[in-house]
Amino acid sequence: MEIAAAVLIAFALDAIFGDPGWIPHPIVFIGKLISATENLLRRIIPATKNGQLVGGFFLTVTVVAISFIIPFLAVKYLGMLDWRLGWALQVFWCWQIFAARSLKKEAMRVYDQIEAGNLEEARKYLGFIVGRDTGDMDFDEIEKAVVETVAENTSDGVTAPMLFMIIGGAPLGFLYKAVNTLDSMVGYKNEKYLYFGRFSAYTDDVFNYIPSRITAMAMILGAGLSSMSGKNAWRMWRRDRNKHLSPNSGHLESACAGALGVQLGGDACYFGKLYKKNALGDDLRHIEADDIRKSITLMYAASVIMLALAELARVAVVLLI
């Protein structure tokens, strides 16, 4: 029951106040741990294909283990001194793990520049939240990229860590964020990380397999409750969910595309290389800046639905046990 309450309060704190920026974010330390461990492994492991595969495996296992063990021990031993201290630390760390308000803030920074007609500034701020090349994008492409990012990160930044925290509190939430951060830092199919980052990328796919699909269902339901098209979201999800290169992102983007009545996906450039990607959804209307705001509304609707279901499931399990 304590964990359920901690996650609920943490979600509310994030929604109201956003990330507590007055203290260093734990994900920053996870990122530094990834960089330091990668540098160490690259120095001691041969730069062959098999060597990089082995190095990537040890990178993932090491970072994930440390990211779980440290908060687990901190919560455990602080709770032994006083259960209220342990619970308060759970609340605070769960608050830091949630990223809904941060995602909204970053998306709206791009939105504001689009509305002001500042193309270069819109490209710059978009580059902070996407991995693709943004230097040649026009406003339509920027708007589409932001909507896609909000859709995908509804799971990565909000609902997936929420599910892990409901199960195992902040320690399991940090374990998930370590997996997610590894993928964002080394899970690329370029020359540097094709083999070294492969295990991290596969691990992220596994960890997001169930959350992405549950989140897509919450999006569909949330669309119907937010003056969007739940029916079309369901139709596009059924038709297009497997068209994405990622085994998980297509579920989220297809549901979002259907809810908004726009077309997402399509070709994109990464590190100067063009990647052919399928379109998701029907091109029923021209995408516009206001779709960014709608995608944020859909993110919160899906997150609240997921939170309610997760809390009920947690309470039911505790009562049954």
Side-chain angles (χ1 to χ4, degrees):
M1 296 292 284
E2 292 85 0
I3 290 179
V7 174
L8 179 61
I9 293 171
F11 182 82
L13 288 171
D14 177 72
I16 297 169
F17 301 109
D19 183 62
W22 43 271
I23 189 170
H25 201 290
I27 305 305
V28 173
F29 293 108
I30 291 176
K32 291 180 178 180
L33 175 62
I34 292 170
S35 296
T37 307
E38 177 188 352
N39 292 334
L40 174 63
L41 289 169
R42 286 189 183 276
R43 288 199 298 268
I44 63 178
I45 291 179
T48 61
K49 174 184 175 181
N50 287 337
Q52 290 185 63
L53 289 172
V54 171
F57 169 80
F58 280 109
L59 172 68
T60 303
V61 172
T62 301
V63 171
V64 169
I66 293 174
S67 299
F68 173 78
I69 291 171
I70 290 178
F72 175 81
L73 293 177
V75 170
K76 178 180 179 181
Y77 287 110
L78 194 60
M80 290 172 64
L81 295 175
D82 189 324
W83 72 267
R84 289 166 294 192
L85 293 175
W87 183 80
L89 184 60
Q90 285 267 27
V91 172
F92 184 76
W93 272 344
C94 289
W95 177 16
Q96 288 189 298
I97 290 171
F98 278 120
R101 185 65 178 263
S102 296
L103 180 58
K104 174 185 176 181
K105 177 182 176 181
E106 294 302 319
M108 289 304 295
R109 287 174 74 184
V110 183
Y111 170 87
D112 290 339
Q113 297 304 319
I114 294 172
E115 287 293 278
N118 297 327
L119 181 59
E120 289 303 320
E121 289 296 297
R123 288 170 175 169
K124 182 182 76 172
Y125 288 126
L126 175 63
F128 295 158
I129 58 174
V130 300
R132 69 190 74 177
D133 300 338
T134 64
D136 295 324
M137 285 187 174
D138 58 25
F139 283 121
D140 289 351
E141 292 170 323
I142 292 171
E143 289 156 2
K144 182 170 70 172
V146 176
V147 171
E148 290 171 359
T149 298
V150 172
E152 184 174 352
N153 283 284
T154 296
S155 180
D156 290 353
V158 189
T159 58
M162 178 194 297
L163 292 178
F164 280 89
M165 288 188 287
I166 281 288
I167 295 170
L172 206 59
F174 280 125
L175 183 148
Y176 170 80
K177 292 306 294 183
V179 170
N180 195 238
T181 306
L182 277 161
D183 181 63
S184 68
M185 291 182 65
V186 307
Y188 295 105
K189 294 181 179 179
N190 56 22
E191 183 177 353
K192 183 177 182 180
Y193 291 116
L194 180 61
Y195 302 117
F196 196 87
R198 183 171 294 181
F199 189 78
S200 293
Y202 285 162
T203 303
D204 185 73
D205 288 341
V206 171
F207 271 66
N208 283 294
Y209 187 88
I210 293 175
S212 64
R213 285 151 178 80
I214 300 176
T215 303
M217 296 297 99
M219 278 185 169
I220 293 167
L221 180 57
L225 299 174
S226 305
S227 301
M228 300 177 215
S229 178
K231 180 179 180 180
N232 197 49
W234 168 256
R235 188 169 67 87
M236 291 300 102
W237 174 79
R238 291 190 63 191
R239 193 191 74 183
D240 294 344
R241 66 186 186 275
N242 294 319
K243 290 183 178 181
H244 201 284
L245 294 175
S246 164
N248 300 319
S249 297
H251 290 262
L252 304 160
E253 292 185 22
S254 61
C256 182
L260 299 179
V262 299
Q263 190 171 78
L264 302 177
D267 300 346
C269 288
Y270 296 84
F271 304 103
K273 182 179 179 180
L274 179 66
Y275 287 82
K276 306 296 289 184
K277 300 169 67 176
N278 293 317
L280 306 174
D282 290 330
D283 192 11
L284 300 178
R285 62 176 179 82
H286 188 72
I287 194 166
E288 54 192 28
D290 195 52
D291 289 312
I292 296 174
R293 299 177 67 92
K294 291 179 181 178
S295 68
I296 293 170
T297 298
L298 185 61
M299 172 192 69
Y300 273 110
S303 299
V304 170
I305 290 169
M306 287 280 286
L307 180 62
L309 293 176
E311 291 283 339
L312 288 173
R314 172 81 188 189
V315 172
V317 169
V318 170
L319 292 176
L320 288 174
I321 293 177

